[in-house]
Amino acid sequence: MGEGVLTVTEAGRSNFDRRALFDDGGLGRRDGALMMGGVRLTDIAEQVGTPTFVYNADSIRARYRALDAALAPMPHRICFAVKANSNLAVLRVLRDLGAGADIVSVGELRRALAAGFDAASIVFSGVGKTVGELETAAALGVGHINVESIEELDLLMQVASKAPNRIEVGIRVNPAVTADTHPYISTGQGGIKFGVPTDRVLEAARRISEHPHLELGVLAMHLGSQLLDPRPYREGIERLLGLLAQIRAAGIGSIRALDIGGGLGIRYRDEAPLSPEQLAEVITPLLGPTGLRILLEPGRYLVGSAGVLLTSVLYRKHSGGKEFMIVDAGMNDLVRPSHYQAYHDIVELEERGRPESTVDVVGPVCETGDFMALGRSLPGLVAGEHLALLGAGAYGFVMSSNYNSRGRAAEVLVDGARWATVRPRETAEELYRSEIAAPFPQ
Ligand code: LLP
């Protein structure tokens, strides 16, 4: 982590209207207390401790329903990208709404099945599936497998020859469309590892359609994440439709669905994300006339705004002319600020009307890069008081680690006025339980 990053300040950045951000997450204030739905978040911080991720079932439902309604003119299925938040209780909320699941490993497949998703509603994506994963997916009957290379297709053909049932296959195309997002999460341009390059799609389609146990059912793409602009979707879909025409012209007529991936961005600060209606306005005129089923794989859009990370102030410290607020959530809990320099808004759980000052909000992990916010204007909280990091429902807990032998945070689900711990905080003992201290007999 270069020095430059650590000197970034966010002057003025906290002076934006938080109302939209609060609305997105079903957050509000009651007598100065931060509420999620009908629950006072301080109650959770006090009873469960911190750091704790808290998810709002109602805001997940509202997001799902808005997207589902916008796509209603076309046959479609929303397959939640499990990688964004794989807690079984969150998966269950989405399954109950009728969502399918988009998975990238057997681990995610097992979670989705454990949460009650029907195997047939599951899409298996991912650039590095192992032979074992392909066999398991085939045996359990996932809806379709998106292949990402000719080499993977070779392996899948071998697996399919021994599989009892036909396997439906999607070709994940790399449409060579550049999306305007962080380079680590842009996945649809040329020269990166994802997808089958457009000039090899026809060959892949032929090979799939000639295989007795494979069926080419889907053309797929995923352009990147946190997209705020409809342009990449339009360009990507145009390329998919061009390829669809080529495949059909080659006499292959089995494609029944187009999977346009995930990527819908959310508000972390003052962004103007694409609404489901704006997305639909762009994609429906292109996709509607095909009559094909449209699949989407949103992750962040469904759960990102619906989650917060609760943390407590451990110390205030002045050093080198700077003021630090040391909190109990570290980069092992929420890696996004240090990994992508991502902005997460930070608010106090109880408003006390104290004046603001500029602080670096840092965690307890032994890395200078362990920060939640740099140069952030925040009210003067003291040790023991609580904060919430907003927009932590996607790529939060799932990217957390045990670095510094820190147990992973607890997870809580709020549903209206009720709340429940849906994953307890990991204990130190759980971290080393399967380790063998003395593997060799004396
Ligand atoms: N489908 C595929 C094939 C994907 O690779 C992804 C995300 C999604 C769907 C869901 O994308 P979403 O709708 O959430 O944008 N850890 C990063 C984000 C990585 C996204 C990777 N792929 C972050 O914290 O920003």
Side-chain angles (χ1 to χ4, degrees):
M1 183 71 51
E3 284 245 328
V5 172
L6 298 187
T7 56
V8 168
T9 58
E10 301 170 343
R13 280 179 165 190
S14 53
N15 298 329
F16 60 90
D17 188 350
R18 257 193 197 108
R19 260 174 308 186
L21 213 52
F22 271 33
D23 286 350
D24 290 346
L27 299 168
R29 293 264 176 209
R30 189 185 294 165
D31 301 328
L34 188 66
M35 306 289 293
M36 178 183 276
V39 176
R40 181 171 165 253
L41 288 171
T42 299
D43 291 344
I44 296 177
E46 284 173 353
Q47 291 176 46
V48 180
T50 55
T52 292
F53 287 91
V54 188
Y55 312 121
N56 187 349
D58 276 340
S59 73
I60 298 172
R61 293 187 186 111
R63 309 282 275 192
Y64 180 90
R65 289 189 179 122
L67 188 56
D68 196 39
L71 298 172
M74 298 183 286
H76 67 275
R77 171 171 266 163
I78 300 170
C79 295
F80 172 58
V82 170
K83 64 171 80 69
N85 187 323
S86 54
N87 185 286
L88 294 193
V90 168
L91 296 181
R92 180 63 72 105
V93 168
L94 285 154
R95 188 217 64 166
D96 287 348
L97 290 162
D102 165 61
I103 55 136
V104 291
S105 67
V106 159
E108 288 186 353
L109 173 56
R110 298 273 181 210
R111 276 181 176 275
L113 294 173
F117 283 89
D118 201 3
S121 73
I122 297 176
V123 180
F124 194 2
S125 309
V127 75
K129 303 179 201 79
T130 64
V131 66
E133 287 181 314
L134 292 172
E135 282 167 356
T136 305
L140 295 176
V142 303
H144 76 269
I145 298 177
N146 277 335
V147 294
E148 297 226 15
S149 64
I150 302 286
E151 294 72 12
E152 182 189 346
L153 179 56
D154 286 339
L155 198 58
L156 182 61
M157 286 162 73
Q158 292 169 29
V159 169
S161 304
K162 290 177 246 146
N165 311 312
R166 273 168 86 86
I167 302 174
E168 185 162 315
V169 185
I171 302 175
R172 171 161 172 197
V173 177
N174 180 332
V177 168
T178 310
D180 182 19
T181 186
H182 191 287
Y184 288 7
I185 55 174
S186 178
T187 51
Q189 74 268 41
I192 53 152
K193 67 179 177 178
F194 296 103
V196 177
T198 47
D199 58 0
R200 300 201 72 183
V201 170
L202 195 55
E203 173 194 347
R206 282 213 177 91
R207 292 178 61 183
I208 296 165
S209 65
E210 283 161 10
H211 193 287
H213 289 156
L214 295 179
E215 169 138 329
L216 177 62
V218 184
L219 266 192
M221 66 177 190
H222 171 72
L223 301 167
S225 200
Q226 185 56 13
L227 306 182
L228 300 169
D229 171 11
R231 177 196 51 83
Y233 285 104
R234 186 184 303 118
E235 290 179 11
I237 289 169
E238 281 165 357
R239 303 226 169 128
L240 281 192
L241 294 177
L243 291 164
L244 176 68
Q246 279 181 36
I247 292 168
R248 285 182 167 163
I252 302 164
S254 55
I255 292 179
R256 54 160 193 103
L258 295 174
D259 176 349
I260 64 166
L264 274 176
I266 63 168
R267 209 178 328 261
Y268 284 100
R269 187 168 53 213
D270 50 4
E271 299 89 340
L274 269 181
S275 67
E277 296 74 26
Q278 286 167 324
L279 177 74
E281 217 170 276
V282 171
I283 69 174
T284 310
L286 295 167
L287 296 173
T290 65
L292 297 178
R293 186 166 206 215
I294 307 308
L295 306 176
L296 269 85
E297 304 169 354
R300 188 189 318 263
Y301 163 83
L302 292 171
V303 295
S305 306
V308 299
L309 173 59
L310 304 183
T311 184
S312 304
V313 178
L314 297 175
Y315 301 100
R316 300 297 304 255
K317 172 170 174 176
H318 301 267
S319 181
K322 278 177 121 179
E323 199 181 335
F324 294 94
M325 189 182 276
I326 302 173
V327 298
D328 65 359
M331 64 191 289
N332 73 297
D333 300 300
L334 182 68
V335 77
R336 302 193 73 257
S338 33
H339 193 53
Y340 310 109
Q341 287 75 57
Y343 183 100
H344 285 266
D345 197 28
I346 303 181
V347 296
E348 52 190 342
L349 290 200
E350 302 292 329
E351 264 177 345
R352 296 183 173 86
R354 299 198 191 121
E356 293 200 355
S357 62
T358 301
V359 296
D360 281 6
V361 182
V362 298
V365 170
C366 298
E367 303 245 357
T368 311
D370 175 30
F371 57 85
M372 297 290 133
L374 298 175
R376 184 76 56 93
S377 182
L378 281 178
L381 274 81
V382 301
E385 292 176 348
H386 309 301
L387 295 165
L389 283 110
L390 307 191
Y395 307 110
F397 182 89
V398 287
M399 291 181 80
S400 65
S401 76
N402 293 122
Y403 187 37
N404 283 195
S405 283
R406 288 165 52 80
R408 277 175 295 173
E411 292 177 288
V412 164
L413 186 72
V414 167
D415 197 352
R418 295 181 302 171
W419 65 271
T421 299
V422 290
R423 182 181 164 113
R425 186 176 314 289
E426 233 169 11
T427 63
E429 197 275 334
E430 283 177 283
L431 303 191
Y432 60 76
R433 198 168 41 195
S434 57
E435 294 176 19
I436 296 147
F440 306 111
Q442 290 294 315

